[in-house]
Amino acid sequence: MSSAWFLYNCALILLCTLLLQQTDGDNNTDGTKEGQQRQCIETDYYYEYTECDSTGSRWRVAIPQQPGACLRLPEPVRGTECTFSCEAGEFLEMSAQECTQCAAGSFSLGSGVRFDQWDSMPVGFSSLATSLTNGPQGDDTLTCNSSSWQPQGSYLESNRDECTVSLIYAVHLKKQGSVSFEYQYPDNNLLFEFFIQNDQCQEMDPSADKKWLKLTNHGEWAAHTVNLKSGTNILYWRTGAVLTKAVKPVLLKNVQIEGVAYTSECFQCKPGTFSRVPGSSSCDLCPRDTYSGHGASSCTPCNTTTHYAHEGSGVCKDRPPCSRKDYFQIHTPCDSDGKTQIIYKWIEPRICLEDVAGAEMLPPLGEREPCPPCNPGFYNNDTATCSPCPPGTYSDGMKPCQSCPAGTEPSLGYEYKWWNVLPANMKTSCFNVGNSKCDNMTGWEVAGDHIQSGAGGSDNDYLILNIHIPGFKIPTSMSSSSGTEFGRITFEFETSCTADCELYFMMDVNRKSTTVVESWEGMKSRQLYTHVMTKNASVSYTWAFQRTNQPSDTRRYVNDVVRIYSVTVSNAVDGVSSECRACALSTRPSSGSLCVPCPSGHYIDTHSSRCTECPPNTYLVSQRTPGSEACRPCGPASKSNMEHSLCYSDCHFSHTEANVTLSFDLSSLGSVGSLMNGPSFTSKGTKYFHHFNISLCGGEGRMAVCTDNVTDLSVTDGQTKGEGANTVKTFICQSTIIPANGRGFHTALASQSISLADRFLGATVESTLDAIRARPELFPETIKKVPDINFYYRSLEPTSSCESGRSTVVTLRCNPEKSMKGEITVPSQCPAGTCDGCTFHFLWESSGACPTCTEMDYHRIEGACNGRLQEMLYVWNEPKRCMGGVPLPEKKVLPCESIEFWVRLGAGIAAFTAVLLVSLTCYFWKKNKRLQYKYSRLVMTANKECEMPGADSCAVMEGEENEGDMEDEVVYHKPSLLGKLKAIASKGNGEKYEHVQLNSSHPKALVWS
């Protein structure tokens, strides 16, 4: 670069020399031209320095206003050193190369340049929107063309959308210098960074802590200064909202750069400003009702009878007739008679005329009315003012202060519900970004039963109300509690607006930076809002009301108003007491009624006034009242920690159904699980992801943590990263991640960290718990017989869209095909994890979510008997639905008999059985024959006359059955089927007997029928 500048300087000197030689040559060759052209005078040219060479030297050369218009330009002479510069209020007079004071009506920064007028974009500044090429269609490069920094008169205003827009200015310094500017950065939904690049587009000192700018309070300007190196410096102010449109843009003014080479002229004061004496380094604003033009050394008064001018005006304006918009009402403080009344005052500075046609006069004074009572904790001793009750006493505001009874202590805090005067720890102010008309005005006015926003000077004024709490003091009996609540603020308000008014509620912890807690737009009905303070620190709460964000010289929305009816702060260290609360008494007799702190996890027994530990698996509720009701039971499958401050899962769960108990060991899921879902795209095409951290079980030591990396600079040196104001530590949290290549930033951005689960409600297989419903239909159905386990959580902090806070359901599903760590998914219909913005659903599939194995989960397989040995194998039931627990038994080998032995034994038994059956058959056959023989003998004893033997002679005598000479044979023919039919037919003819034929060896046979 130095050689290039050297060649450029040589070329410029050579060009000037050639011009002089050509002019002399023309004069020598053509005398008529010499008579026609005149000698150059000072108005025909101007001086400039050449670029510095490698030795740090430069030349002063004369540059003609119009080349060839005159003859004999001054010869080049050696200039001042490259590092030479004049003091502020001076400029370098080039002809003498000496510093000279600026005249009155002008100013100079010496070696610097200042930009404080933004009616249009100054020369050298440019606004560049980064093209977004990450959209789902790839055609998002046209969506950011309208996004840019906009001049607003006295300041620049950034874009509010998620487009990344850079304000760029390049400056070449001859020596080391600096850049300083003032800015407003009130909205953390907007990213704002300032960095510097060299002429090679390399970022200079990219690790500097000053890259990300800190948030500012609403209406307050912060100053920022960065050192610059010699050479080319390209300055970047870069902004872009995080996914959603920001509430408030970044404002920039008074950009000043030190270290430029020199100033060859002074700058005239702009209209509305003046510099009275020579050698000024700045111009002053004209006072109210005066004006000035360009380059003025003094301001001209207006005719105040008919005209007016605001501070820093360039012209005087006509005074309009007075109207309703030019006055406001206030309540007077209580007088000695205890009376107050409504009075009306003109808005100052008064610019209207009341003695012209159509002008409206001030309304008459209101009637004197009794003053409202004192606020709780204050008393009135027949005076016009209310005084706080002494320590240890209390009052409801209407009765004298009384000492707290034995066994009780004052409940400190503030309860403002009557507004006769502004409380001592509250203050009000008015601020406008573009003007100072309302700087000395009262932003809010007391009005008896409420306090309301004041008139202000313009419709876009910020009307500020602030209350400061130096710290919090937990009641003595709870001072050892490990709870997360130190105090809370509750206020009741309403807004009545016809324009786009907005009310901000902000907090500033330890005077570091102000963050917006909640905001409300447009008209809002009367409602309550509560914010819980989770750390013991000095805090300032601020209400800021703006009727419209559009600047205008005409008052159109002066009747738009916000009213606050009550403000209550609990446990304020400097508070007063409106009541006494029960406390725990010491067990020592000598202590009397002295209140003592209860240990963590203890409540105050109302009967004994002693500290009593909560039962197992219960937790102490915040803002608890004395009694056992302060201990709430933990939900199903949960237990409390030792301090009884929260409930958690110990990673064990059991479920019994149909006399079968399933036991689950979820220890493998105890570490924090993470899920990055997406990508998603905004309407402008910005790619972003939702990152979730889930702590399922394991207790306080395994909480999930989400941290913003955009605003980490708000963390002080005494804090460690991860414990700052932008860190969330809870069961489940969510962060929004913007990849580095999606916004033109140099690193991925983590922002909007929120808590989704402050309290664990319990785990169950049921689909509903504490009014939170699991939605299994959002996930794929499972064919496994193992039931899903639902873990239920709730976030205690309400939001504008979720009045009861957010809730979360994590569904554990047994899937042996997954790893022990498993996989977390969200519903496909709700890629952000929630379908309504309030209830989040997650499915965690893992083999670690399967029940532990028992003897019921495997069976035995018996092998064949081989060599009188048999193997016993054990295998899992298919499909396997358990993990861990009882292991499979080892393979067993048992003695056994072979099959040949059993075959021989069976054959022998079969042969014996056959022989036995044959023997029995023969035996019963022979016995049957004997019976037949006996029957035949009985028949043969009948007489020959075919008479039946008598009863006493028909029997077979003893010994007859052995007679061998009996030759007769009795034959009995069993009737056949045909014979039976004949017998039946013969019955009809009187025959009643069957025929029995007797065969005998004798010639005569006896037959009867």
Side-chain angles (χ1 to χ4, degrees):
M1 288 297 294
S2 59
S3 60
W5 288 120
F6 177 74
L7 293 176
Y8 171 78
N9 296 334
C10 294
L12 183 60
I13 297 173
L14 180 61
L15 176 62
C16 295
T17 304
L18 291 176
L19 288 174
L20 291 175
Q21 291 177 354
Q22 182 179 1
T23 303
D24 292 340
D26 291 343
N27 291 338
N28 293 332
T29 58
D30 190 357
T32 59
K33 283 187 178 181
E34 184 176 356
Q36 293 176 356
Q37 289 184 339
R38 59 183 177 79
Q39 297 292 327
C40 291
I41 60 176
E42 291 185 359
T43 58
D44 294 327
Y45 59 87
Y46 61 94
Y47 290 111
E48 278 193 2
Y49 282 123
T50 63
E51 294 294 336
C52 297
D53 57 22
S54 59
T55 63
S57 301
R58 57 185 175 183
W59 291 79
R60 187 200 70 177
V61 297
I63 308 297
Q65 301 283 1
Q66 295 181 357
C70 63
L71 300 175
R72 298 186 182 278
L73 289 171
E75 295 286 342
V77 298
R78 184 172 294 276
T80 60
E81 295 295 327
C82 291
T83 58
F84 175 82
S85 61
C86 296
E87 298 294 332
E90 298 178 341
F91 72 100
L92 182 62
E93 203 282 314
M94 294 295 290
S95 59
Q97 298 193 72
E98 294 180 353
C99 295
T100 306
Q101 282 191 342
C102 294
S106 62
F107 72 98
S108 168
L109 298 177
S111 63
V113 59
R114 178 188 297 161
F115 301 95
D116 56 4
Q117 187 172 357
W118 306 93
D119 296 320
S120 60
M121 192 70 74
V123 177
F125 281 86
S126 61
S127 182
L128 176 64
T130 302
S131 298
L132 301 175
T133 58
N134 299 298
Q137 306 300 328
D139 56 354
D140 299 295
T141 57
L142 301 178
T143 57
C144 291
N145 288 348
S146 59
S147 300
S148 64
W149 286 75
Q150 297 294 330
Q152 299 292 342
S154 60
Y155 58 89
L156 270 178
E157 181 179 288
S158 75
N159 62 310
R160 302 187 190 186
D161 54 30
E162 65 266 28
C163 292
T164 302
V165 182
S166 298
L167 178 68
I168 306 173
Y169 183 76
V171 61
H172 187 78
L173 301 185
K174 300 301 181 182
K175 59 180 181 180
Q176 292 185 349
S178 63
V179 56
S180 61
F181 55 88
E182 297 180 52
Y183 71 94
Q184 281 192 21
Y185 178 28
D187 192 349
N188 59 3
N189 288 320
L190 197 69
L191 305 177
F192 184 31
E193 63 173 341
F194 174 74
F195 61 95
I196 305 167
Q197 290 183 349
N198 57 21
D199 53 1
Q200 302 297 321
C201 296
Q202 297 174 340
E203 186 171 345
M204 304 170 69
D205 196 10
S207 61
D209 291 339
K210 295 184 178 180
K211 175 180 177 180
W212 296 103
L213 299 181
K214 295 183 179 180
L215 292 171
T216 62
N217 297 336
H218 274 259
E220 293 185 4
W221 291 94
H224 189 71
T225 301
V226 178
N227 294 328
L228 301 178
K229 297 180 180 180
S230 59
T232 301
N233 293 264
I234 305 175
L235 313 180
Y236 287 85
W237 292 266
R238 180 173 288 176
T239 59
V242 183
L243 305 179
T244 58
K245 184 177 180 180
V247 176
K248 290 298 176 184
V250 172
L251 306 182
L252 183 68
K253 71 174 184 178
N254 293 340
V255 179
Q256 182 168 323
I257 302 173
E258 296 286 347
V260 296
Y262 61 91
T263 300
S264 60
E265 60 180 350
C266 296
F267 301 96
Q268 290 188 333
C269 295
K270 65 180 181 179
T273 64
F274 71 101
S275 64
R276 191 180 305 276
V277 296
S280 298
S281 60
S282 62
C283 297
D284 299 324
L285 293 176
C286 287
R288 184 163 56 91
D289 292 334
T290 64
Y291 72 99
S292 70
H294 199 70
S297 60
S298 62
C299 298
T300 304
C302 299
N303 182 2
T304 55
T305 304
T306 57
H307 293 78
Y308 75 98
H310 295 299
E311 185 181 26
S313 296
V315 295
C316 293
K317 298 180 181 179
D318 294 333
R319 292 185 178 272
C322 293
S323 65
R324 172 66 184 86
K325 300 176 181 179
D326 294 306
Y327 63 85
F328 63 97
Q329 70 175 33
I330 63 172
H331 283 67
T332 62
C334 288
D335 55 21
S336 57
D337 297 330
K339 300 288 185 180
T340 183
Q341 67 180 147
I342 297 176
I343 63 173
Y344 298 87
K345 289 186 176 182
W346 294 111
I347 296 175
E348 297 294 341
R350 177 183 166 191
I351 62 173
C352 65
L353 298 175
E354 57 179 330
D355 54 356
V356 297
E360 187 170 340
M361 304 295 292
L362 277 180
L365 301 178
E367 296 183 359
R368 297 177 72 241
E369 299 176 349
C371 290
C374 294
N375 283 307
F378 292 81
Y379 70 99
N380 187 336
N381 285 341
D382 296 329
T383 62
T385 59
C386 295
S387 303
C389 287
T393 63
Y394 72 99
S395 172
D396 60 358
M398 303 179 67
K399 299 178 182 178
C401 299
Q402 303 177 17
S403 298
C404 287
T408 64
E409 61 179 335
S411 180
L412 298 179
Y414 288 105
E415 184 180 357
Y416 298 134
K417 59 182 181 179
W418 300 110
W419 305 91
N420 183 55
V421 294
L422 193 68
N425 63 340
M426 299 183 74
K427 62 180 181 179
T428 177
S429 60
C430 179
F431 178 81
N432 191 290
V433 174
N435 59 67
S436 58
K437 291 189 294 184
C438 77
D439 286 358
N440 297 320
M441 293 183 179
T442 300
W444 291 65
E445 300 286 350
V446 294
D449 64 342
H450 66 275
I451 184 172
Q452 65 183 22
S453 54
S458 304
D459 285 345
N460 65 331
D461 290 341
Y462 286 105
L463 305 174
I464 307 297
L465 179 65
N466 175 275
I467 182 172
H468 178 68
I469 308 298
F472 296 90
K473 181 181 179 182
I474 298 178
T476 303
S477 299
M478 296 189 298
S479 59
S480 299
S481 174
S482 59
T484 58
E485 179 177 336
F486 288 90
R488 60 175 59 193
I489 180 172
T490 302
F491 59 93
E492 185 177 9
F493 73 99
E494 68 176 354
T495 59
S496 176
C497 303
T498 58
D500 55 340
C501 70
E502 190 156 9
L503 173 65
Y504 303 93
F505 177 62
M506 303 170 290
M507 64 179 295
D508 180 6
V509 179
N510 291 329
R511 301 185 183 275
K512 299 301 179 183
S513 64
T514 299
T515 57
V516 177
V517 179
E518 192 60 86
S519 63
W520 299 267
E521 296 182 8
M523 181 174 291
K524 297 296 180 182
S525 59
R526 190 166 174 172
Q527 58 187 275
L528 285 170
Y529 179 80
T530 299
H531 174 72
V532 176
M533 188 64 183
T534 57
K535 63 190 316 182
N536 193 356
S538 173
V539 60
S540 291
Y541 295 107
T542 301
W543 295 266
F545 179 70
Q546 189 181 38
R547 293 183 172 92
T548 179
N549 57 19
Q550 301 299 323
S552 175
D553 292 334
T554 305
R555 300 299 304 273
R556 294 182 296 174
Y557 308 114
V558 70
N559 292 324
D560 290 2
V561 66
V562 57
R563 302 180 184 90
I564 295 180
Y565 293 93
S566 64
V567 176
T568 303
V569 181
S570 65
N571 299 339
V573 68
D574 62 341
V576 295
S577 178
S578 61
E579 61 181 1
C580 297
R581 59 177 296 146
C583 67
L585 300 180
S586 174
T587 56
R588 298 179 180 178
S590 59
S591 300
S593 59
L594 181 64
C595 294
V596 295
C598 286
S600 298
H602 289 64
Y603 67 93
I604 304 173
D605 188 284
T606 55
H607 300 289
S608 63
S609 296
R610 296 290 186 264
C611 296
T612 305
E613 185 177 5
C614 284
N617 296 329
T618 61
Y619 68 97
L620 281 171
V621 296
S622 299
Q623 297 294 313
R624 60 188 182 271
T625 57
S628 58
E629 295 79 9
C631 302
R632 301 284 179 84
C634 293
S638 65
K639 59 174 56 179
S640 64
N641 58 356
M642 295 182 60
E643 295 81 12
H644 295 275
S645 60
L646 58 83
C647 300
Y648 68 96
S649 169
D650 62 353
C651 299
H652 290 84
F653 180 82
S654 63
H655 171 65
T656 302
E657 185 176 357
N659 294 326
V660 176
T661 300
L662 300 178
S663 299
F664 297 82
D665 185 359
L666 308 176
S667 301
S668 60
L669 307 179
S671 59
V672 176
S674 297
L675 168 66
M676 178 87 77
N677 71 324
S680 300
F681 298 88
T682 66
S683 60
K684 294 288 187 179
T686 302
K687 179 195 293 185
Y688 66 94
F689 299 84
H690 286 305
H691 184 262
F692 299 93
N693 286 331
I694 301 176
S695 175
L696 191 70
C697 58
E700 294 176 280
R702 295 183 179 180
M703 288 295 186
V705 178
C706 294
T707 304
D708 294 353
N709 66 353
V710 177
T711 52
D712 276 346
L713 293 179
S714 61
V715 181
T716 61
D717 295 336
Q719 294 173 321
T720 59
K721 191 171 182 179
E723 298 179 357
N726 303 292
T727 297
V728 176
K729 186 176 182 180
T730 182
F731 286 103
I732 304 175
C733 60
Q734 171 193 304
S735 294
T736 301
I737 307 297
I738 303 175
N741 59 358
R743 296 296 304 275
F745 293 99
H746 303 283
T747 183
L749 303 179
S751 182
Q752 298 181 347
S753 296
I754 59 175
S755 171
L756 304 181
D758 296 326
R759 186 160 62 92
F760 176 56
L761 303 179
T764 177
V765 298
E766 302 297 330
S767 59
T768 303
L769 181 65
D770 196 20
I772 302 175
R773 186 173 70 89
R775 298 185 60 185
E777 70 275 7
L778 296 177
F779 300 102
E781 294 184 2
T782 176
I783 59 176
K784 305 295 184 182
K785 295 183 179 180
V786 178
D788 293 340
I789 307 173
N790 298 315
F791 279 66
Y792 293 88
Y793 302 86
R794 189 184 297 280
S795 175
L796 303 178
E797 188 72 21
T799 64
S800 56
S801 57
C802 307
E803 295 181 356
S804 301
R806 301 180 180 92
S807 55
T808 304
V809 181
V810 180
T811 300
L812 298 186
R813 178 169 293 176
C814 171
N815 189 342
E817 298 177 358
K818 300 289 185 179
S819 64
M820 294 294 288
K821 191 63 180 176
E823 180 184 6
I824 306 175
T825 57
V826 295
S828 57
Q829 305 95 314
C830 313
T834 176
C835 300
D836 58 3
C838 295
T839 303
F840 290 76
H841 299 272
F842 301 93
L843 175 63
W844 196 334
E845 293 184 278
S846 166
S847 58
C850 297
T852 54
C853 297
T854 64
E855 291 80 359
M856 301 292 294
D857 294 303
Y858 62 83
H859 62 277
R860 185 179 67 182
I861 298 179
E862 298 180 356
C865 185
N866 186 8
R868 295 191 177 185
L869 294 177
Q870 184 182 30
E871 292 184 349
M872 297 291 183
L873 298 179
Y874 298 87
V875 295
W876 295 111
N877 299 333
E878 294 294 338
K880 183 183 177 183
R881 304 189 307 272
C882 66
M883 297 294 294
V886 176
L888 277 177
E890 297 291 337
K891 179 177 66 175
K892 297 180 180 180
V893 179
L894 301 177
C896 65
E897 296 291 342
S898 64
I899 189 63
E900 297 177 356
F901 169 78
W902 295 107
V903 170
R904 290 195 299 268
L905 180 62
I909 295 175
F912 173 78
T913 303
V915 172
L916 180 62
L917 291 175
V918 171
S919 301
L920 291 175
T921 302
C922 294
Y923 169 77
F924 285 110
W925 179 81
K926 184 176 181 180
K927 190 172 184 177
N928 184 53
K929 286 294 185 179
R930 290 178 179 176
L931 291 175
Q932 290 180 356
Y933 172 74
K934 290 180 180 181
Y935 182 73
S936 299
R937 292 283 298 173
L938 177 64
V939 174
M940 293 298 295
T941 57
N943 54 27
K944 296 180 178 179
E945 290 78 10
C946 298
E947 294 179 357
M948 293 296 296
D952 57 342
S953 62
C954 289
V956 178
M957 300 301 293
E958 183 178 359
E960 290 181 346
E961 61 180 357
N962 296 323
E963 291 181 358
D965 56 349
M966 181 63 64
E967 297 178 357
D968 295 336
E969 181 182 1
V970 179
V971 180
Y972 172 73
H973 295 279
K974 185 178 181 180
S976 64
L977 178 61
L978 182 60
K980 289 182 179 181
L981 293 176
K982 290 180 179 181
I984 294 174
S986 63
K987 287 180 182 180
N989 298 324
E991 296 180 0
K992 301 180 181 178
Y993 304 100
E994 293 182 354
H995 295 276
V996 179
Q997 181 180 0
L998 299 177
N999 296 328
S1000 177
S1001 59
H1002 295 281
K1004 296 181 180 180
L1006 179 62
V1007 179
W1008 75 88
S1009 62

